[in-house]
Amino acid sequence: MSVLKNLENKIAGLVEGTFSRAFRSEVRPVEIARKLAREMEEHKSFSVSRTYAPNEYRVFLSPSDRERFAGYEAALTAELAGYLLEHARRERLTLLSRPVIEFETDDRLGLGEFGIQTRVAQPDDEPVSAPAEAQSGRTMIYSTSERVSEPLEERGRARAQTALLLIDGKRVVISPAGATLGRGRQSDVVLNDPNVSRQHAEIRPRGGSWVITDLGSTNGSQLNGRRLEGSEVLRSGDEIELGASIMTFTLE
């Protein structure tokens, strides 16, 4: 087993084992470690004889994810720094200093999302020996299902939109936490339709988007005229059919 893999397993053991009770959010430290290594490679710069990699990393977390990391942040950043240091050695990348990792909270991120911004920073007490200090123009946003190259400002505007369902001419606002749809009174959106199951489907925010999932209903769900399989991302104007009930998803 490679040294890099051993270090990766060390982080996994530290967090998923000893600290497992503290990390129940969708963001997992091992996933952060892997994405940090990817960002290190994607933001490297070249000189005549060396390949330089970023030595400073800012990791942005949603308020909920950051809260779960609070008690172990110092230990986690130390492990992640060691991970990146070993990765740089293995890939023969030059660092101007030991990697520095800082966590920050950003309200524009949702649960399960995190952003990474990199920088090549010259230590104050070292002579200039690398390409001019540079900082990436974009913060890369990751989620459990996708990677999106977009500024946090755009993500913030998307999250400011209100999700609604248009049902029989009525506007039903979906809670920021999402909603269940079904015939049962316990559903957030109750549909008076015998063809609809008591808990038929749900719409939830995920990774900066809204996602619809069938909850094992008897008659299934359809999205834009085709049967819904698993979970699918919703777009404004999509038509949802549950039993004999037809509704339109929209964002405002």
Side-chain angles (χ1 to χ4, degrees):
M1 184 179 292
S2 69
V3 176
L4 183 58
K5 189 63 178 178
N6 278 328
L7 189 52
E8 185 174 340
N9 288 341
K10 180 180 178 182
I11 293 177
L14 174 67
V15 177
E16 309 301 341
T18 306
F19 298 155
S20 61
R21 293 181 181 178
F23 297 122
R24 293 180 179 175
S25 70
E26 293 183 37
V27 172
R28 298 290 176 178
V30 171
E31 180 68 5
I32 294 177
R34 292 171 181 154
K35 295 301 188 289
L36 283 169
R38 177 183 293 182
E39 290 299 312
M40 171 180 278
E41 294 179 9
E42 292 194 357
H43 290 89
K44 58 191 176 185
S45 55
F46 304 92
S47 68
V48 175
S49 58
R50 295 182 179 182
T51 300
Y52 290 92
N55 55 336
E56 291 189 1
Y57 299 80
R58 298 171 72 188
V59 179
F60 300 92
L61 297 168
S62 69
S64 296
D65 284 317
R66 181 76 187 281
E67 183 180 356
R68 288 171 171 82
F69 288 179
Y72 311 98
E73 192 168 295
L76 180 57
T77 54
E79 291 296 336
L80 291 173
Y83 180 95
L84 287 182
L85 185 62
E86 185 59 31
H87 185 77
R89 289 172 178 168
R90 297 279 293 180
E91 299 298 320
R92 298 182 179 180
L93 301 174
T94 299
L95 298 174
L96 297 181
S97 66
R98 181 180 176 84
V100 175
I101 300 169
E102 296 180 350
F103 285 110
E104 293 191 21
T105 303
D106 197 300
D107 294 333
R108 293 166 291 187
L109 293 172
L111 185 68
E113 293 181 316
F114 61 98
I116 298 177
Q117 187 179 74
T118 65
R119 194 164 74 110
V120 177
Q122 185 77 40
D124 295 334
D125 57 350
E126 294 290 334
V128 177
S129 58
E133 181 179 295
Q135 185 166 321
S136 61
R138 290 177 179 263
T139 297
M140 304 306 298
I141 303 173
Y142 293 93
S143 72
T144 56
S145 60
E146 63 180 348
R147 181 184 189 217
V148 184
S149 177
E150 63 179 358
L152 282 173
E153 287 74 12
E154 293 181 13
R155 176 60 57 85
R157 285 195 292 270
R159 285 203 167 274
Q161 292 181 306
T162 300
L164 304 98
L165 288 174
L166 306 181
I167 309 173
D168 295 330
K170 298 180 180 179
R171 294 158 51 91
V172 179
V173 177
I174 300 175
S175 163
T180 55
L181 294 77
R183 181 167 46 88
R185 292 183 179 180
Q186 68 272 29
S187 297
D188 298 306
V189 179
V190 179
L191 302 172
N192 186 20
D193 182 347
N195 297 301
V196 171
S197 299
R198 293 183 178 277
Q199 291 282 301
H200 197 109
E202 68 176 9
I203 297 175
R204 302 290 180 193
R206 183 188 301 172
S209 302
W210 289 90
V211 174
I212 183 171
T213 305
D214 186 89
L215 299 176
S217 64
T218 301
N219 295 320
S221 306
Q222 291 196 7
L223 180 62
N224 296 324
R226 50 185 183 77
R227 189 175 180 85
L228 180 65
E229 300 292 344
S231 300
E232 291 196 31
V233 174
L234 288 168
R235 293 174 175 79
S236 188
D238 280 351
E239 185 178 87
I240 301 168
E241 185 175 348
L242 309 180
S245 300
I246 299 176
M247 61 205 76
T248 302
F249 175 84
T250 185
L251 292 171
E252 293 185 354

